[in-house]
Structure formats: C-alpha cells, structure tokens
Amino acid sequence: MSDPGAVGGSVTYQRLVHKNSSGFHYMKVSLVFEKEGKRIDGAFFKQLIISALRNVYGEIGAAFPFDVLKFEEKSLTAVLRVYNSGLVKLWSALTLLGSYQNETCAVRVVQVLLPYQYTGGP
Amino acid sequence: MAAHVTDQQLRQIRSILLEGWACTGCDVRGPGFSEDCDWFSIRCGNELRKRILLKSLSPQISAVKNNVKKKRTVICPFSSQTSAMFSELQKCPRNVLVCERSSFMNEKSRHDKHVSQHYFNYKVSVFIPHCGVPPSSLSDAMRRFTRFYLVREVPVFELLGEECLEKTVRTGRFYALSYKTRIDQDDVVALLPTGQLILSVVKDTYEQLGLEGRPSQYAHKRPMRYVVVIDLTDKSMAPGSKRYDRVLWALREKVPLKTDFLMACHSVVGTEAWSLPPCLSRYPWKELQASVDTQTLRDLPCPVLHGDDLRGETACEPHAFLEWLGAVGLGIGCENEATSFLSTYECPEPRTLVDQAVLCTVTGLLLPEDIHSLLEELRRYFDQPKSSSWLSLVVHGFADSPISWGMAEHGFHKGGENFYSFVLFKNQDYWLHMGTGANDGCPP
C-alpha cells in the first residue's frame, strides 16, 4: 500500500507514504474489580478476554489471534496487540465484560494506539 | 465417522462457512469432539437452525468460497442480516506513516523544518545501542530544555492584554497550550510562536462567542466543533482597533473562557531567561523542569538496519522497527516462542544481540528549538568512533493539541497520535518517520 513519493533534488532523498499499512493496533487496558485486592495472572487474564470474546461473537467470531504483550499483576494493567481487523471486536468484547469468577469487574481502555506511539501520550 | 476431522480442519471449515455465509450472530458447532456425530450444526442467535451432514459439506463449502471470491453480499438465511456486518466489524480508521531518507549534509534537507513546525511536544526518547552511559554532552543537552510554567485558571483574554502581548508574543517564541483539556470534548486553546491564537471550541461555546471561525475538518454532518484562528501579529488586531475590541469583548464578556495553561518561551541566546510576566503570575502558577529518565538495558535483541534501505527489503521494515522501539520503551520482552499462549511478539529479523544500550526519555512541554539542539548534539555523537552504526530519537506530540505540523488541524479519534522519529546513521544520513492517526492531515 505504499506509493513512491516525489524524488527531490538530491539522489539520496527518498520519500515513502504508507497508508493503513500498519497491521496492528495496541491497547493499554486496566482491569478493575469492585472488591479491591483481587489477584490474577497474565494467562488467566488472557483466558478471561477470550471467553468474553466468545460470549459476544461466538466460537468463530472469537477465533482471531491477539497478544498480551505485557501484564502487570500489581496494577492489573496490560498492553494488548491485535490485528486491525480484530480491533473493533476486541474492544467491544472488553467493554461488555462484566465479571470474573462471579466477581464484578470491568476493563477500562486507557489508550488505543499505533506502533511506537504506545509508549507515550500525556 | 467424525474422528478423522482434526481440530485445525474444523477451524478452517468454520471460518470458510462463516466468512461468506452467516451473520454475526451465527456460530458453527462441529463434530470433531464427539465421535458419534456426523454433522455440523449451525446456530443463529443461540437457536439451532440447520444441520449439515459431513458428507454434504464439500458442495456447501465450494458455494461459499465462490461467493467470497466474487465478493457477493450474502444474506443470512436465518436472521436476514447480511454477512457484510461481519466485514464492517473488521474495518478500522486510517493511519499514515511517512518515511523519508536523506542526509544532514544535503542542502535541501528539511529535517529542521519538520522539527520546528511540530510545536507541542510531550515526550522525547533517545535510544543508543552499544552504549552504557550517555555522553555528558548529551545529558547536558537534555537538562538544558527550557523551563516551562503551569498556570492555573487563566482567563483567555489575559493573553490578549497589551502588556502581556509585549512580554510574550513580541519578545520571543512563545508557546501556550491549555492543559488537561480534551480535543474531542472540551474547549482547547493554543498560542503558537507565530502569534496565532487557536480556539478549538465546542458548538455551544462557538455560538456564544460570536467570533468568525470554521467547522472542524473532522466534524460529522452536523459540526459539533469549530476552530477560530486569530492572528495576534496582524495589523487589524492591534490593541485599540475594532477587531481587537470585539475579540476582547467576546472572551471577557460573552464567554469568559478559563483554563489551565502550559507555557514556555524560547528566548534568544544571550538574553535573560524568560520569566512569567505579572499579568499571568497573578494566577496560581508553578515553574517546572522537563523530567529526564535514563536507563541502561542489557543483552537486548536489536534489529539490523541498513541506512540505504528505507523500505526494509533486506532488513527491518519501518513499522516493525517502530514497533520494536516501542516494545523497548515499555520493557516488553521480545523472546516469545511462536507457540506461547500470552504473546507471540518477537524482535524483527535479522537481529543481533546488543550487550548494552541506553534509553533516555524527557517529558514535559518540550520546545522544538530544544529538540533541534538535541538533534544537533546527537549528530556529533558519531564524531568519535563508535561501535554502533545508528541511534534513534523519537518525539511524541501532545495527543490533545489542536494542531500537529504547522497549521494542520489535529483531532483525537482513537489515539490522537502524532509523532516523528529520526534514525541517525554514522555517515550523517538519516531516516525520518512521521506518523499520524485518523483525524489528522498527512505529515508535511
């Protein structure tokens, strides 16, 4: 999806414009429990999201890959990576997620970003 | 009968069936798990609707494949919804990444222009591979970032006062940006070093203000946000003139806009450091210094870059490189196996193992002038022989700034991203990546 841009005066100048060619989106999310002090590890967190996806989109709708790049057990925050095509589904499933092991919880989406950008932002 | 259908085959069959045939509420339950079952069941909205015998599966699949190939819209036989709903869910807003390759020695190189026109910067990160401690000249350059002020509850008309104009816009390059105001919900105010005051306001405020503006570029059919640009250096805005009085009246009497501001002024070298003029210091204020954080990373897998290969045909592709830099900044591990449950992220190939690397980040209201001098300092890094052949500088803009580059309007949409990144090579060549999200123009 890139098109070679204009070539400037010098031979060494090169410009490429990539539109929509970044394959992934990144989400910074945090898991909030109604009762404080609940512990959960990364694998359970991913399982929780997968089951939330299944609830909303069924077996097939939920069958797309995403990565938990980082999970902090202390603050219950995570960085997720998902293909662009799965972003809307993942986001909606996270929004509709309401409980874990019979305890009320919610997922807050802190940031949704493109590559590199996910380190920053005020 | 069904025992020979493997799990993977089952998944393939399901995805083919659902891609071109069913609606979002449909689900396929297959045999595979129980041996005495010789049919797939199709459910729609939790009700069993149809059974397909395994032996009649292949004609079904070929019909579906045909539809998908011809991009024919198919209506779900059960819920009468189109399968296009499914593809609708897979869309996502556009993003743009501009990559440039040039040399600092090139007369026509526009690197300084790109830096100076990106007015509001929030975070700068420098990454140097094969380096344990950042050189002292570099740490100095980072500590020399201009101090900035956080002033609380400033009425916007104060910025227009004659005395205030004299001390800000007319003395040097003055930057002001409203603090903790969201570009997609609140009234945002910015004052650029060119003397332009930008009011990006919601519809209600705009209608009460009675100043001339234009609807935001990223508005829907019915604009909910308007942008008013006032050039304070223009003759018609000279204190005492009709237009000036009108603007002052609008901001003082009609809508007394009040917000917290981040302010800084880049004074010309040799003159005294700028301090807050009395018209602003009567509000609660705090002087702040950009915070510097340095960390040394050990045994890091690091992609190999070739300066003359911007496209990444033989080495690391730009998106993969930026993703990797981001992962480094966040401390994300790159040593996952392909079968790992949690994450399959890996450092892009080809790669080498770097014994140590330095990552410095500066956060605050960072002025383009300071970033420019940091860039000059980084260029001098290669004056002495170094084992690394490249280093990188990444600059993030404020996500809620009303502009990105120059006067290009900036919006938030999903992430409000606007950033650029330099990769500096030993031979004074550089790569420049500029990225924006959906509500933003193409970078210059």
Side-chain angles (χ1 to χ4, degrees):
Chain A
M1 284 269 264
S2 67
D3 54 85
V7 175
S10 159
V11 256
T12 58
Y13 179 76
Q14 192 184 2
R15 180 178 164 105
L16 298 170
V17 180
H18 297 274
K19 204 173 163 189
N20 289 341
S21 58
S22 134
F24 295 104
H25 266 79
Y26 303 83
M27 300 177 90
K28 195 175 174 186
V29 298
S30 72
L31 181 62
V32 189
F33 282 100
E34 198 174 43
K35 282 183 197 158
E36 277 177 29
K38 182 88 182 166
R39 285 285 176 95
I40 176 172
D41 74 356
F44 274 107
F45 180 69
K46 183 158 182 183
Q47 190 55 46
L48 174 66
I49 299 176
I50 292 174
S51 57
L53 272 168
R54 251 188 227 140
N55 279 344
V56 183
Y57 293 104
E59 192 81 21
I60 304 298
F64 64 88
F66 69 94
D67 293 312
V68 178
L69 291 179
K70 191 183 183 184
F71 183 74
E72 272 178 34
E73 290 182 24
K74 267 187 193 165
S75 55
L76 294 179
T77 53
V79 178
L80 310 178
R81 178 175 81 154
V82 61
Y83 283 101
N84 290 342
S85 58
L87 176 72
V88 176
K89 283 196 223 169
L90 180 63
W91 198 337
S92 47
L94 288 176
T95 309
L96 294 170
L97 192 153
S99 69
Y100 171 69
Q101 292 180 347
N102 295 329
E103 289 211 36
T104 318
C105 69
V107 174
R108 308 250 178 268
V109 177
V110 185
Q111 271 181 315
V112 179
L113 295 163
L114 293 170
Y116 199 75
Q117 190 66 15
Y118 66 97
T119 61
Chain B
M1 161 82 204
H4 63 274
V5 181
T6 65
D7 190 39
Q8 200 179 356
Q9 280 171 328
L10 180 65
R11 276 176 190 276
Q12 279 174 356
I13 292 168
R14 284 171 169 177
S15 58
I16 291 168
L17 268 181
L18 285 180
E19 193 177 351
W21 193 49
C23 73
T24 48
C26 279
D27 190 3
V28 176
R29 302 277 160 87
F33 304 113
S34 60
E35 289 187 21
D36 54 343
C37 192
D38 62 348
W39 39 263
F40 277 89
S41 68
I42 296 196
R43 287 156 180 272
C44 181
N46 275 335
E47 274 176 66
L48 181 66
R49 297 300 187 130
K50 187 170 179 164
R51 287 178 176 176
I52 305 176
L53 288 175
L54 273 179
K55 53 187 173 197
S56 65
L57 195 64
S58 49
Q60 288 272 10
I61 288 180
S62 55
V64 165
K65 270 188 175 168
N66 204 17
N67 280 335
V68 172
K69 213 171 145 191
K70 290 185 179 162
K71 292 192 177 163
R72 211 178 277 163
T73 312
V74 190
I75 293 170
C76 172
F78 313 122
S79 65
S80 349
Q81 286 170 335
T82 55
S83 65
M85 258 185 80
F86 218 72
S87 59
E88 196 74 5
L89 277 178
Q90 306 195 339
K91 279 185 191 164
C92 84
R94 74 116 202 221
N95 57 70
V96 181
L97 183 74
V98 173
C99 311
E100 281 191 7
R101 178 167 80 94
S102 186
S103 165
F104 290 114
M105 315 302 267
N106 189 342
E107 279 174 27
K108 287 183 182 163
S109 171
R110 295 188 296 166
H111 64 278
D112 43 355
K113 208 173 158 199
H114 289 317
V115 173
S116 64
Q117 286 200 340
H118 198 266
Y119 296 120
F120 298 109
N121 307 290
Y122 161 71
K123 182 172 179 176
V124 169
S125 343
V126 175
F127 176 83
I128 312 175
H130 296 290
C131 170
V133 184
S136 58
S137 58
L138 199 63
S139 331
D140 286 347
M142 282 190 224
R143 256 176 271 136
R144 273 201 307 270
F145 272 82
T146 311
R147 300 178 82 85
F148 59 98
Y149 297 83
L150 172 60
V151 193
R152 303 255 180 214
E153 297 278 308
V154 188
V156 177
F157 73 82
E158 283 286 3
L159 292 174
L160 301 177
E162 196 169 349
E163 177 207 0
C164 196
L165 281 178
E166 202 58 51
K167 291 269 167 59
T168 56
V169 176
R170 291 178 201 152
T171 43
R173 291 175 66 81
F174 178 73
Y175 298 81
L177 179 66
S178 56
Y179 179 58
K180 288 206 169 159
T181 49
R182 289 159 296 185
I183 190 71
D184 51 352
Q185 290 177 39
D186 305 330
D187 299 328
V188 177
V189 185
L191 184 54
L192 309 186
T194 50
Q196 262 139 338
L197 179 70
I198 298 177
L199 306 168
S200 175
V201 291
V202 295
K203 183 172 136 276
D204 290 2
T205 316
Y206 178 72
E207 283 168 0
Q208 286 169 41
L209 261 181
L211 292 174
E212 198 188 335
R214 56 176 172 79
S216 160
Q217 244 174 291
Y218 309 111
H220 298 284
K221 271 181 194 162
R222 196 176 296 165
M224 294 304 284
R225 170 166 293 275
Y226 288 83
V227 182
V228 180
V229 179
I230 302 163
D231 191 351
L232 299 180
T233 54
D234 196 66
K235 261 186 205 160
S236 66
M237 271 303 289
S241 69
K242 257 190 191 168
R243 180 128 186 272
Y244 177 83
D245 289 342
R246 165 95 192 175
V247 173
L248 207 59
W249 168 77
L251 288 170
R252 187 185 288 176
E253 318 269 324
K254 294 292 284 179
V255 191
L257 269 183
K258 245 186 201 181
T259 130
D260 298 351
F261 271 103
L262 288 172
M263 295 178 181
C265 187
H266 184 261
S267 36
V268 188
V269 183
T271 57
E272 265 179 59
W274 185 79
S275 63
L276 215 56
C279 57
L280 295 171
S281 61
R282 72 171 89 129
Y283 301 96
W285 59 275
K286 236 191 323 193
E287 189 177 358
L288 298 163
Q289 176 73 47
S291 63
V292 183
D293 175 50
T294 306
Q295 44 176 313
T296 308
L297 309 158
R298 308 229 172 250
D299 299 326
L300 191 73
C302 188
V304 177
L305 301 183
H306 298 301
D308 48 1
D309 184 15
L310 179 66
R311 226 181 259 271
E313 276 155 354
T314 58
C316 188
E317 188 265 334
H319 287 98
F321 172 68
L322 291 173
E323 180 184 42
W324 173 80
L325 262 184
V328 169
L330 268 188
I332 288 169
C334 301
E335 290 110 10
N336 296 303
E337 285 175 31
T339 52
S340 162
F341 174 64
L342 271 186
S343 161
T344 52
Y345 178 66
E346 269 194 307
C347 172
E349 298 269 3
R351 56 181 175 232
T352 54
L353 197 69
V354 171
D355 52 345
Q356 53 184 3
V358 153
L359 178 71
C360 308
T361 45
V362 190
T363 40
L365 176 68
L366 310 173
L367 303 190
E369 287 82 359
D370 295 326
I371 295 174
H372 193 259
S373 44
L374 178 65
L375 185 64
E376 292 297 308
E377 198 56 58
L378 286 172
R379 282 178 58 187
R380 282 193 283 274
Y381 177 78
F382 291 115
D383 286 356
Q384 282 142 21
K386 293 279 160 39
S387 50
S388 147
S389 63
W390 60 272
L391 61 87
S392 96
L393 167 82
V394 182
V395 182
H396 292 281
F398 276 88
D400 286 301
S401 151
I403 45 153
S404 51
W405 273 272
M407 286 299 284
E409 192 187 334
H410 170 76
F412 193 85
H413 198 80
K414 275 193 296 79
E417 44 274 275
N418 63 108
F419 77 99
Y420 61 91
S421 133
F422 277 101
V423 180
L424 286 72
F425 291 95
K426 241 179 198 168
N427 58 355
Q428 296 290 320
D429 275 4
Y430 70 85
W431 289 351
L432 171 62
H433 303 288
M434 294 179 279
T436 53
N439 283 1
D440 223 316
C442 185

